[in-house]
């Protein structure tokens, strides 16, 4: 049997993005074009695989219209998970279960679209495969709005999130200028430990907009006193002040700013990540009390990762490319690798794909370099904006039906059909 | 001097919308086309007028490109205010100041674009004009995302906000389905006393989306126990639950739900409106505690009134029309009126303009009729969706420059120039 006559399986993992489905398409179409027999999709990633929940993607994406809609559908089409595999050791029942099932499905190629936590899954599966002498190939496909994956120039998903953040920041600044009275608007942007997303608020600055007045990334320790002093000085010069803060900014003792507020019950996921929220609200309340001014807190929240009505065409194209490149490399024998993007030049923007050892990428967080943040730690440097700009270019118009964007939804009966398919094999 | 050789002045008032600038254009272009000499813009509405801050709009909108950009610019281009005029009485210094200044500017026509609070301004100025025998004509131009103006079928600004809310709700629902675990997502939508905006979340429902599971409008008293029971029953049937709540829902004793949470300092505007926020967060925290499930709160917040990258073409067209209709009616002698929209038919959607006595509209809030909400008070009826649907149709593509929507910004030096112009007269 020729290698690419084996079956392919693909999963989506971690937080969704607006373009993760484009990577799914990249894997699916390229595998099909190159002769893959069946392309399975895991429902909810490795977690679904363990429950034998897989679907035949050709049933889910029956035609070109479905493909076009899928491109414009946010969130992970076949579902995602936050599931951490145990440490690799021989004869571990979870790994045996996975490999047995993959063999049962006659899978030769395993693709996992995700961020640094998800690459941990690829790393462990590859390592276990090596231990037991499996021929199954494991490839990682990069994805995360956080842009915090190591080695790759950037990650698909980031450009669209940055474009949405830049757009909304511009619109919020227009809104903030509307009254002739002092008001401090604090925008809270995602990013637990890396400030890439928050930095994108600076994109708002241009001929028609002054951009945010202050920007605070988690890479720099947050000093409330200095912050209040900065706001005070600005208030002497202008009425409407707009500030962008990362949800993950921390004070000197390491506590998150949002932890300083009294908060409701907390939820910690299986990777130990707490949900951080309330940073902007806490700072807005503090300023209102201390400076006696009107303040408001705006969380861009989940919208940052699901606003598929405003995606970057560069991003969605690259998301497809990394999926396709993963299949090509895998069909040529690469394994235990993740596809990376390598920027060849900024003007014109040229970016190529390559592959890299997933062991060097899994669980590593790439932060914003300190020299891309100003000395005071309250703004970003032009070099950072020049880095982001090419990633937000051009659009993909949503397919509007009856006034709203149309998405592709999974055929409802399929989770069960998937189980049936699996059971029949 | 012929009547329409007199000057025109126009102001924007109250909370901004994505299309309020289209009404400004409607007034400006129609007045110019019909021979108005100068069209002044008040900077920050009546409050700016009192400070003699006006601009010549032809200097701010020099050409057709500026007009096209203005159409796509959110928030009030010439600034807004929340300023309440005192009760009308003869020889009141504030009214004398306003009328003296209007006479100095040789203004014959006064247009004010706003909601029910702003119509209070038109009503009072008209009444005072009658008292002193002024010939100045006062016309109201409807605007509010809240859709709570009396008499008119709907208000410009609502359709675009509804379209954005419908779009984001669809995208958030996609996002909510991503993990195979129980999660309750609560979306907080604007609307202090009227549920029109929150009802728009229901637009998400269609072939590709189930829509929100529960919807709570401020028109119906909120019963937490029943709410929790509803969520509990749903959790037995499905994992991802999405709920839309109005920021203004209240419990039996009249308190807003958001008041039940401990909150930061409050800001009350000159109309006595408190800023309501934290409803979704409070409910999400309660559910997490009582039902031991993962919850998240998403506030669509200010984005609802400034997301000009996603406007309804029907809305933006009507926003222009009401501005134009106000000028036509005023030039024909109408005064003390507001332009209203009258729906002639739903399919095809036909809507015409008319005028109506502003005394019947000022300070009145139009709520969602009880029969458009289901008996349980946790969903909306199809008739309400049929009412909203025509208002969100078609789009106006943003003018994208370097990856982001381009807006029109006021010429920076103009507030002073405006004062100079005024001083020279």
């Amino acid at each position: 049997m020729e290698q690419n006559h084996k079956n392919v399986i693909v999963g989506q993992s971690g937080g969704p993005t607006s373009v993760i489905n484009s990577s799914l398409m990249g894997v699916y179409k390229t595998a099909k074009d190159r002769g893959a027999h069946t392309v399975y999709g895991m429902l909810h990633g490795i977690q679904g695989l363990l429950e034998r929940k897989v679907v035949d993607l050709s049933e889910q994406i029956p035609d070109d219209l479905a493909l076009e809609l899928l491109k414009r559908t946010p969130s992970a089409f076949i579902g995602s998970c936050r599931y951490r595999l145990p440490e690799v050791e021989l004869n571990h029942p979870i790994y045996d279960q996975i490999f047995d099932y993959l063999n049962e499905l006659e899978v030769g190629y395993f693709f996992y679209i995700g961020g640094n936590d998800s690459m941990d899954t690829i790393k462990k599966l590859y390592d276990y495969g090596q231990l037991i002498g499996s021929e199954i190939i494991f490839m990682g496909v990069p994805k995360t709005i956080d842009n915090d994956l190591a080695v790759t120039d950037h990650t698909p998903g980031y450009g669209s999130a940055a474009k949405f953040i830049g757009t909304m920041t511009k619109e919020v600044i227009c809104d903030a200028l509307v009254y002739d009275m002092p008001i401090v608007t604090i925008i809270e942007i995602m990013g637990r430990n890396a400030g890439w997303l928050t930095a994108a608020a600076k994109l708002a600055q241009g001929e028609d907009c002054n951009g945010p007045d202050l920007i605070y990334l988690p890479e720099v320790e947050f000093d409330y006193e200095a912050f209040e002093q900065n706001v005070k000085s600005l208030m002497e010069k202008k009425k409407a002040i707009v500030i962008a803060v990362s949800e993950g900014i921390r004070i000197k003792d390491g506590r998150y700013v949002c932890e300083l507020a009294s908060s409701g019950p907390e939820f910690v996921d299986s990777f130990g990540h707490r949900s951080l929220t309330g940073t902007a609200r806490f700072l807005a309340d503090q300023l209102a009390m201390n400076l006696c001014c009107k303040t408001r807190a705006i969380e861009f929240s989940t919208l940052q990762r699901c606003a598929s009505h405003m995606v970057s065409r560069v991003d969605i194209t690259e998301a497809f490319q990394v999926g396709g490149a993963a299949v090509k490399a895998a069909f040529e024998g690469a394994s235990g690798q993740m596809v990376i993007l390598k920027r060849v030049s900024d003007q014109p923007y040229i970016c190529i794909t390559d592959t890299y050892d997933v062991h060097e990428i899994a669980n590593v967080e790439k932060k914003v370099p300190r020299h891309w943040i100003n000395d005071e730690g309250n703004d970003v440097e032009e070099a950072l904006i020049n880095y982001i700009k090419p990633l937000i270019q051009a659009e993909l118009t949503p397919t509007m039906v009856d006034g709203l964007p149309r998405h592709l939804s999974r055929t409802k009966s399929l989770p069960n059909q998937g189980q049936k398919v699996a059971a029949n094999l």
Side-chain angles (χ1 to χ4, degrees), chain A residues 51-212:
Chain A
E51 297 165 14
R52 301 174 76 92
K53 289 183 183 162
V54 300
V55 289
D56 181 340
L57 280 181
S58 59
E59 290 171 12
Q60 293 286 336
I61 314 168
D63 51 29
D64 282 353
L65 175 63
L67 269 175
E68 282 305 313
L69 287 178
L70 184 54
K71 237 195 255 184
R72 292 160 172 86
T73 300
S75 187
F77 179 66
I78 49 174
S80 183
C81 68
R82 291 196 182 276
Y83 184 93
R84 195 177 187 87
L85 283 174
E87 291 309 314
V88 172
E89 57 179 81
L90 209 55
N91 301 325
H92 194 295
I94 286 191
Y95 287 101
D96 284 344
Q97 190 183 335
I98 292 170
F99 278 80
D100 286 350
Y101 188 44
L102 293 177
N103 288 329
E104 195 182 314
L105 294 174
E106 293 181 34
V107 162
Y109 308 92
F110 181 109
F111 300 94
Y112 215 45
I113 310 167
N116 35 35
D117 287 338
S118 310
M119 290 310 133
D120 178 75
T121 300
I122 284 293
K123 183 190 80 168
K124 286 172 174 165
L125 289 174
Y126 172 78
D127 288 350
Y128 196 83
Q130 294 291 301
L131 265 185
I132 62 168
S134 166
E135 281 183 1
I136 301 173
I137 275 175
F138 293 93
M139 284 294 286
V141 181
K143 169 272 355 174
T144 169
I145 61 165
D146 292 321
N147 199 40
D148 60 352
L149 275 176
V151 188
T152 185
D153 176 76
H154 58 279
T155 53
Y158 175 63
S160 295
K163 188 183 185 87
F164 180 74
I165 289 165
T167 298
M168 292 311 317
T169 302
K170 277 191 85 162
E171 294 178 342
V172 164
I173 291 173
C174 277
D175 187 273
L177 294 168
V178 78
Y179 299 121
D180 190 23
M181 59 178 284
I183 179 166
V184 181
T185 302
I186 306 185
I187 301 170
E188 180 174 319
I189 297 176
M190 281 181 167
R192 188 174 283 109
N193 299 314
W196 300 105
L197 288 168
T198 307
K202 184 75 172 180
L203 291 167
Q205 193 177 53
E207 271 176 48
D208 57 344
C209 179
N210 289 330

Side-chain angles (χ1 to χ4, degrees), chain A residues 406-422:
Chain A
R406 175 57 59 110
H407 303 142
L408 186 67
S409 54
R410 277 212 309 270
T411 310
K412 295 233 169 53
S413 59
L414 270 162
N416 294 326
Q417 272 187 34
Q419 287 177 303
K420 214 181 75 202
V421 169

Side-chain angles (χ1 to χ4, degrees), chain A residues 320-338:
Chain A
F320 185 95
Q321 283 169 346
V322 293
V327 172
K328 279 176 226 163
F331 281 15
E332 286 161 11
S335 189
Q337 312 267 311
M338 186 189 84

Side-chain angles (χ1 to χ4, degrees), chain A residues 1-8 31-40 105-109 331:
Chain A
M1 187 194 277
E2 264 182 64
Q3 216 177 14
N4 58 2
H5 284 164
K6 284 212 171 171
N7 293 326
V8 164
K32 277 295 195 190
D33 290 351
R34 298 197 167 214
H37 184 258
T38 302
V39 180
Y40 290 109
L105 294 174
E106 293 181 34
V107 162
Y109 308 92
F331 281 15

Side-chain angles (χ1 to χ4, degrees), chain A residues 298-332:
Chain A
I298 299 174
E299 287 179 20
F300 282 172
S301 73
T302 315
L303 311 185
Q304 293 162 81
R305 70 181 196 191
C306 65
S308 65
H309 70 275
M310 172 57 84
V311 292
S312 147
R313 188 179 273 266
V314 165
D315 188 28
I316 211 157
T317 305
E318 289 182 343
F320 185 95
Q321 283 169 346
V322 293
V327 172
K328 279 176 226 163
F331 281 15
E332 286 161 11

